[in-house]
Amino acid sequence: MLNLIGLLAQTESESLVPEAPAYREGSYWFPEAASTFAKDVDPLFMLIFWVSLVFFAGIVGFMIYFVIKYRDRPGHKVEKSASHNTALEIAWSVLPGFLLIWFFVDGATGFFNMRVTPGNAEQIQVIARQFNWEFHYPNGDATTELHLVRNRPVEFVMESRDVLHSFFVPAFRQKQDVVPGRYTYTWVKPTKEGVFRLYCTEYCGDSHSLMKTNVTVHNTQEERDQATFYPWEDETPIKNGQRLFNMKCSGCHNNTDVKKTGPGLGGIWGKTETLADGSTVEVNDNYFRESILNPGAKLVAGYANQMPSFQGKLNDDQIFWLRAYIKSLTPDAKIEDELNLPASEAREKVGEADGEKPAAE
Amino acid sequence: MSATPQAQKLFGHAEENNYLKCSSGIKSWLFTLDHKRIGIMYLIGVTVALFLAGIFALILRSELFTGDENFLTEAQYNQMFTLHGAIMVFAFIIPSIPAALGNFVLPMMLGAKDVAFPRLNLASFYLWMFGTAFLLTAMLTNGLDTGWTFYTPYSITTTTAVIYATMGAFILGFSSIFTGLNFLVTVNTMRPKSMGWFKLPLFIWSLYATSIIQILATPVLGITLLLLIAERVMHIGIFDPAYGGDPVLFQHFFWFYSHPAVYIMILPAMGVISELISVYSHKKIFGYSFIAFSSVAIALLGFLVWGHHMFTSGQSQLVTLVFSAITFSVAIPSAVKVFNWLATLYKGSIKLVTPMCYALSFIFLFGIGGLTGLFLGTLSTDIHLHDTYFVVAHFHFVMVGGTLTALLGGLYHWWPKMFGRMYNDFLGRVGCFLVFVGFNLTFFPQFVMGSRGMPRRYARYDPEFEIFHQASTIGAFILGIGILLAFGVLVHAVFFGRKIGGNPFGAASLEWQSSSPPSFHNFDHKIHMNAPYDFGAMVYDEEMDTYIQRDFVTPESPEVPAAEPTKA
Ligand SMILES: [Cu+2]
Ligand SMILES: [Cu+2]
């Protein structure tokens, strides 16, 4: 699992590779239910389903019965029957109407639950852009994956920096378009701990289908803070790097070699990268640092200049940890022993050892 | 059996000067003003469009066989679904039944010689050709990746051929308006005096309702597309938030046309089904006036529900509520039609020939398509289902399961009239069966993955959806084979089919009073007026191998029970 809880529980020997959240079936028609809206949506869906099924079975049943009974065969003749029957016709026009009113009222009630935010909700700002999400928390933290606290209602204040997007979490049954030039709002109250998928469901261009990320619902505020907040001095640089990666980078990069908005970062260390201008560069400490602080300087061939600069947003320690983690994703890259020491000690030693300590800003 | 000599002439085999043979050479087709030839040319055109867009669909489905990249990049995938959608909607479904079948059948059902404005009719066809060519070349040369919906602001910022493609759609819109206008005037002015509104075949009612929509709604699409071009070129600031515009306004404009357009697609299909069910049950359609009025009700209500495409767009909640309520009201006239068709089967004499198989298949598929609309009209469930594969499945059930099925059924029904030859009924039914099975296998799994959260327009997807996508892809190929077979059987019939008489199915509407294929002037003799669903007035004449009107049979004929009453 990609979330912090999973990470905390990991022992040294466990793999650092985060997995995509497992899909957990809720029922035949639905994914697992993880917010209060499931009870506005699922039972009504099933009600409409069964009513429809009864009507459908009736229609098809009568159809088949009539076709068999009145099939054209020697000796069979059209029997006399009325060519209209006003009472019957009015009945079958009006009676289903009552069912429809029921659906409408029930649906509208659920809809207002889904659209009217309770007053005590915390606010998370959502910024959507081609092709990733950014979430800003009340305490100033920001992540590319969404972290929520169980049973705490949260309102999303959403803006788009380019085209239309749509915020959709199937497990929450909630969806709202994100529109450039105005704010749109939506809210949820997550009820279940775990990791869920978040999709963009409004077509937004080339990598629309990669514009997805994870939502982690934590049990407590503290756990959420640990996932979104920094620093964590007694962990190893690799683990800190992984946490940072999941917060800041995984919206655009995979930790395997599969591309997303940006190239996959698994296995790139030491590799020779072809740039957009045709030149090549080796992926090493300095290139990595430059990629983060000034991403436009050397564009990887085949990608647009979409990576934001992290200048002023990540400090040297953090870049160092990211470096440790990305390096660990290349199986044959030489990993300094110190990277397995607590973070507070590691950087000094690695820097001294190979004289590559990055210049302070 | 003895038919009067007059009947021999009325219903017999075609004379050599039928509309197909009365003149020859490519020019005699390209410059023809004959509604029948224009109908045939339209038919060829829309079939080509169907096959092209169908191939794009198979390419999409193959790419989606697994969740990772197979052979299309994301950008190519996006262009492919745009091509598929735009060609299917603008070049195939909208013109299919009205312009191809309607053109051929509508004037003849009225006993008329042609439509009111034959030149406008030809112009409409050329606009269709021109618009389709424009759309296709734009998309194939520069690509288009906006989806057929052209949503702003993406359509303003993308570098693909938005302007040319919208011009193509704009031109196609005019083609559609011309057809609609022509049909309205034809129905109003060219009916025989004795044919009142309630003596029109129901196919005419549905085409009439469709024409009203085409004329009232299509101009809004035209204006919207022009505004979009203006926005791209001059940045007038109407849709683009960067210049103070409102992207959601585009959605309102777009769906103000495109929702009614859904009824441009389905109403004529319902009209065809009303004819087929009645003819092949050999029984007067049940509840004629309810069916007729339901077409008009659907057409009018259809103008008031466009906002149901925008429940998650950020439009006001009150507006959303109103749109949901009106959307439910459209369900009623659609349901009425289905009930009436069923009641028509009751106590009939049902012939399970190919057109009837398509009609029954229509009731099944349209039933699912219509009922799943309830989930989308209901607000809370729509929030979850909007823009997922559930929606994709829903509208394919209505548009392919509905319109395409009805088109095929209609083609099989009127084919002998068009070409004077009978198709192979067994293979026809096999085709229908393949279409039915393939269709369900393609689209039913999409409901399930949709409600489980699979978003639409995704080039790559998560592993839990793979099984559904694979079933869907296999189904799509079966569907493709079925459609190929269906058209193959028809084409085969044109050249090798058994020659048949004017009215092989015992239908009572006027077009069957012509010879098969009809002569250039449609009817060589004065039309014998009878009610469109009065099948009692038709008797089979063995010698001529066709149905003729009872009045033309000499009374002493032993086979005809004299006492059977004929109701008008
Ligand atoms: Cu998107
Ligand atoms: Cu609609």
Side-chain angles (χ1 to χ4, degrees), chain A residues 131 164-166 200-205 208-209 211, chain B residues 458:
Chain A
F131 300 94
L164 295 171
H165 301 281
S166 189
C200 169
T201 46
E202 185 63 66
Y203 175 68
C204 57
H208 167 57
S209 65
M211 189 168 163
Chain B
Y458 260 32

Side-chain angles (χ1 to χ4, degrees), chain B residues 174-244:
Chain B
F174 268 93
S175 147
S176 170
I177 293 175
F178 283 5
T179 307
L181 185 70
N182 225 334
F183 285 3
L184 279 192
V185 178
T186 309
V187 175
N188 274 326
T189 62
M190 299 182 65
R191 283 176 284 140
K193 287 252 151 31
S194 58
M195 191 186 260
W197 283 98
F198 291 94
K199 288 189 175 144
L200 291 174
L202 287 166
F203 185 43
I204 302 276
W205 271 90
S206 76
L207 284 176
Y208 195 85
T210 308
S211 302
I212 294 178
I213 309 178
Q214 284 176 307
I215 288 181
L216 294 184
T218 319
V220 179
L221 176 74
I223 294 164
T224 311
L225 295 179
L226 284 186
L227 282 174
L228 178 60
I229 295 177
E231 182 74 320
R232 255 186 93 102
V233 179
M234 297 182 286
H235 302 299
I236 55 177
I238 178 160
F239 300 135
D240 187 351
Y243 298 92

Side-chain angles (χ1 to χ4, degrees), chain B residues 70 73 94 146 172 193 214 250 258 265 293 297 306 341 351 357 388 445 451 484 494 496 503 510 526:
Chain B
N70 291 324
T73 64
I94 288 182
T146 60
L172 285 169
K193 287 252 151 31
Q214 284 176 307
F250 177 87
S258 293
M265 307 176 203
F293 282 127
W306 78 90
W341 291 327
K351 276 205 186 68
C357 292
T388 66
S451 70
L484 259 184
V494 172
F496 307 106
N503 188 3
L510 300 188
K526 194 165 170 294

Side-chain angles (χ1 to χ4, degrees), chain B residues 489-504:
Chain B
V489 169
L490 289 176
V491 171
H492 178 269
V494 172
F495 299 103
F496 307 106
R498 176 170 59 84
K499 288 203 170 165
I500 45 98
N503 188 3

